[in-house]
Amino acid sequence: MKSGPSRLRKLCAPLVGAATLFVALFVAPGAAEAAVGSHSYTVTATLDGRTAKDLNNHAYPNKYANGSTITVTCQDSGPDAYGSTVWDRTSDSLWVPDFYVKTGHSGFTDEVPRCVNGNTPGSGTGRPYTVSATLDGRTERDVNNHAYVNKYLSGSVVWITCQTTGPDAYGSNLWDLTDDNLWVPDFYVKTGYSGPTPQLPRCGGDEVDPPATGPHSFPVTATLDGRSVKDVNNHASVDRYFEGQYVEISCQDSGPAAYGSTIWDLTADGWWLPDFYVKTGYSGFSPALPRCTSGGGSTGGHSYVVTATLDGRTAKSLSNHAYPDKYPSGSTVTITCQAYGEFTYGGSAIWDKTTDGLWVADYYVKTGTDGFVAGLPRCDNTPPPAGGDPSGWDPGSPAPPSSTHQEKVNAAIAAARAEITNHPLYAWGGGHGAHPGPTRGYCDGINGYDATGACAADKRIGFDCSGLMRWAFYQGTGVDIGPVTTYNMYDHRPSIFAYTIHRVSDLQPGDLILSRPDEHNRPSHTVIVSKVSGSTITIIEAPRTIIPLRETTFPTETFMVAYRLA
């Protein structure tokens, strides 16, 4: 498993209107940071020492007292424990769930190495990673250089000090420098990234790569993906060209607007780049460059990625399945025009027409907007439909309020439970739109990433924890509590709730729980109680990006407070 970037412990629902975070691709060389190795942390609960990553293993009961300090030698993935799949190995060679270790991160921490085969890796300079193939140590960034044959065995740990670009090696132009001062192709180093690793610096003296050898080489002013089509949503070769690198441009063409320019540049190795970030010396077409004679693969219209497998429909109707599974999830479709039709999903009534002459629901086409795309023509003059969409959610008409407390509870629980099937994948920021209901998530530089460190949220339609609660109680009461966060609800009890519950023993089905105290002793999670059987509390929750929505047993030790409907 590739290690993902460490993420600070944050609320499960984003703060509305928060400023966009900028994440640097490289740590500046020489930047102050903690050395990678064993580090000591405080535990926030009394923990058993476990000989295996298993909550049922109690080899050393109460080994580490609440508030005591433990030394963590490495971290590893394991079974879910209190909402986290990270486990920490102590200097006693015992396992503890990371959830109760105050590392300052909700995922892996940068300053502690990943365990290798369950054990602490050896020492070195830089950061340790496992290699996925037996690699030669190379004195130059060249696959034909075999100075130290079979230097690093497959599955072994190599310490990387910095990264830079070089000649293409196995589909990547990224190279890693080991603490033996040898080069290895990054493609076979399990850093958790297909591009530059944020925790690693750029190798000194290589901040700007030497110019390419062709007659039309230009530096790029940002790290750019290589795109197989002229589409900013196409990321076929992630971080293909580094900021400052010289790139050989073969021709230029017009295309969809990208960062204020409609000019696209085709590289000598066949990738499209938005000209805005290529320093040709011109804001328009460069007189030194030819126009792409065949359009360079341009297909007409605008190309976008679809976020679900879609049928191709010969009419703007969900009941039309003329071409089942025509467009697989993650594939690119080219849209020629848009129009209103019947409601589809999430309150959207926009339909997109592909170059195949088929209709798809715009809701699952990643155009970058919930409305019509600027620059795409209308296919026809159909007016927007009246009424609600067939899924039962018309954002303009809230669900009718239930007449009794029990009816409200039953409706709220049923709505939350239905989303386990309807929108099973957790989406950071999901459910916080202008109206209650599933929305596309997003990544903010800290949240929304999968176990490999890749952004998952922006490819999902669904809910985060407080977004799911907003939807469930809207369905139960007909009242929208708004796009609130867990913190917001802790500070101000929403008006639909009449009672505050302070003891786990008093919980009832339909209660909203605020749980998982963070470092400020404020709740970072919210769930709804679906069943109470003796001392066992069953909840429905949207846990986190790497865990789908679920109905599960509530860990009562995380309880802080709960609210009950009137």
Side-chain angles (χ1 to χ4, degrees):
M1 179 70 70
K2 294 183 178 181
S3 63
S6 60
R7 314 278 176 204
L8 298 177
R9 291 196 188 276
K10 302 288 286 183
L11 301 180
C12 88
L15 296 176
V16 177
T20 302
L21 298 178
F22 172 78
V23 181
L25 284 174
F26 287 101
V27 178
E33 58 177 24
V36 178
S38 299
H39 285 269
S40 297
Y41 304 102
T42 302
V43 296
T44 59
T46 297
L47 302 178
D48 295 344
R50 308 174 195 268
T51 53
K53 293 175 285 184
D54 182 359
L55 290 180
N56 295 315
N57 181 299
H58 307 282
Y60 295 87
N62 301 328
K63 174 72 174 177
Y64 306 106
N66 184 12
S68 64
T69 299
I70 64 170
T71 299
V72 176
T73 60
C74 64
Q75 295 182 306
D76 204 0
S77 298
D80 181 81
Y82 313 108
S84 172
T85 58
V86 178
W87 287 76
D88 300 340
R89 190 165 179 83
T90 72
S91 54
D92 302 311
S93 297
L94 298 173
W95 293 102
V96 293
D98 180 74
F99 184 83
Y100 289 112
V101 181
K102 199 172 181 180
T103 64
H105 300 78
S106 59
F108 292 103
T109 176
D110 294 342
E111 60 192 18
V112 173
R114 292 289 293 271
C115 302
V116 177
N117 298 323
N119 296 308
T120 304
S123 60
T125 302
R127 294 185 179 277
Y129 302 100
T130 304
V131 294
S132 59
T134 297
L135 301 179
D136 296 344
R138 309 174 195 269
T139 53
E140 297 178 354
R141 289 169 285 171
D142 181 358
V143 292
N144 295 314
N145 181 298
H146 307 284
Y148 295 85
V149 177
N150 297 336
K151 174 71 174 179
Y152 307 105
L153 298 180
S154 179
S156 65
V157 174
V158 59
W159 289 76
I160 304 299
T161 60
C162 62
Q163 295 178 309
T164 191
T165 54
D168 186 87
Y170 314 107
S172 170
N173 66 347
L174 187 63
W175 288 78
D176 301 340
L177 187 65
T178 74
D179 64 350
D180 300 313
N181 203 34
L182 297 173
W183 293 102
V184 291
D186 180 76
F187 183 83
Y188 289 113
V189 181
K190 297 172 72 173
T191 63
Y193 298 86
S194 58
T197 303
Q199 295 82 19
L200 287 170
R202 191 76 180 272
C203 298
D206 281 317
E207 279 70 22
V208 177
D209 292 289
T213 57
H216 301 304
S217 297
F218 304 97
V220 294
T221 60
T223 296
L224 301 177
D225 295 344
R227 307 175 195 271
S228 56
V229 294
K230 293 174 287 185
D231 179 6
V232 292
N233 294 312
N234 180 291
H235 308 283
S237 183
V238 177
D239 297 331
R240 180 76 184 180
Y241 305 103
F242 287 92
E243 180 180 356
Q245 179 180 348
Y246 278 73
V247 179
E248 175 73 8
I249 303 300
S250 60
C251 61
Q252 294 181 307
D253 201 7
S254 298
Y259 314 107
S261 172
T262 58
I263 298 176
W264 288 77
D265 300 341
L266 186 64
T267 70
D269 47 357
W271 299 107
W272 286 106
L273 304 179
D275 180 74
F276 182 83
Y277 290 112
V278 182
K279 198 172 181 180
T280 64
Y282 296 87
S283 58
F285 288 104
S286 169
L289 288 168
R291 295 290 290 270
C292 301
T293 55
S294 63
S298 176
T299 54
H302 292 189
S303 297
Y304 305 101
V305 175
V306 296
T307 60
T309 297
L310 301 180
D311 294 346
R313 308 175 194 269
T314 53
K316 293 177 284 182
S317 171
L318 292 180
S319 61
N320 181 296
H321 306 282
Y323 295 86
D325 300 333
K326 174 71 174 178
Y327 306 105
S329 178
S331 64
T332 299
V333 298
T334 301
I335 305 302
T336 60
C337 60
Q338 297 179 300
Y340 279 121
E342 71 173 33
F343 279 106
T344 58
Y345 309 99
S348 174
I350 297 176
W351 288 79
D352 301 339
K353 196 165 192 176
T354 73
T355 49
D356 302 311
L358 300 173
W359 293 100
V360 292
D362 179 74
Y363 184 80
Y364 287 115
V365 180
K366 194 176 177 184
T367 63
T369 178
D370 294 330
F372 288 101
V373 177
L376 272 177
R378 293 288 186 95
C379 306
D380 55 48
N381 295 319
T382 303
D389 73 72
S391 69
W393 170 44
D394 176 358
S397 303
S402 304
S403 58
T404 69
H405 170 81
Q406 193 58 50
E407 287 175 338
K408 294 177 184 178
V409 165
N410 292 346
I413 294 173
R417 184 178 287 128
E419 294 310 312
I420 297 175
T421 300
N422 294 341
H423 297 91
L425 298 181
Y426 178 101
W428 171 262
H432 293 271
H435 306 283
T439 60
R440 192 184 305 279
Y442 62 89
C443 295
D444 64 3
I446 296 175
N447 304 285
Y449 301 83
D450 64 20
T452 71
C455 181
D458 66 358
K459 303 174 184 66
R460 300 175 178 180
I461 304 292
F463 301 94
D464 62 19
C465 68
S466 56
L468 179 62
M469 295 304 100
R470 178 191 184 191
W471 171 244
F473 286 101
Y474 172 76
Q475 290 292 80
T477 66
V479 178
D480 178 15
I481 63 175
V484 294
T485 69
T486 305
Y487 268 15
N488 296 152
M489 289 190 285
Y490 186 62
D491 292 336
H492 303 285
R493 187 181 71 194
S495 61
I496 62 171
F497 300 104
Y499 309 100
T500 300
I501 312 301
H502 296 283
R503 296 183 301 185
V504 171
S505 59
D506 292 332
L507 288 172
Q508 296 178 7
D511 289 347
L512 177 142
I513 297 176
L514 302 177
S515 64
R516 291 188 196 165
D518 63 13
E519 61 269 27
H520 304 295
N521 201 34
R522 292 165 66 81
S524 61
H525 192 46
T526 182
V527 304
I528 184 173
V529 177
S530 60
K531 183 180 178 181
V532 177
S533 179
S535 60
T536 301
I537 311 297
T538 302
I539 59 168
I540 300 170
E541 65 171 351
R544 59 182 60 209
T545 302
I546 60 175
I547 303 174
L549 274 62
R550 63 186 180 181
E551 190 164 9
T552 186
T553 301
F554 177 62
T556 55
E557 66 273 16
T558 67
F559 175 83
M560 292 190 70
V561 71
Y563 300 144
R564 183 168 299 159
L565 291 172

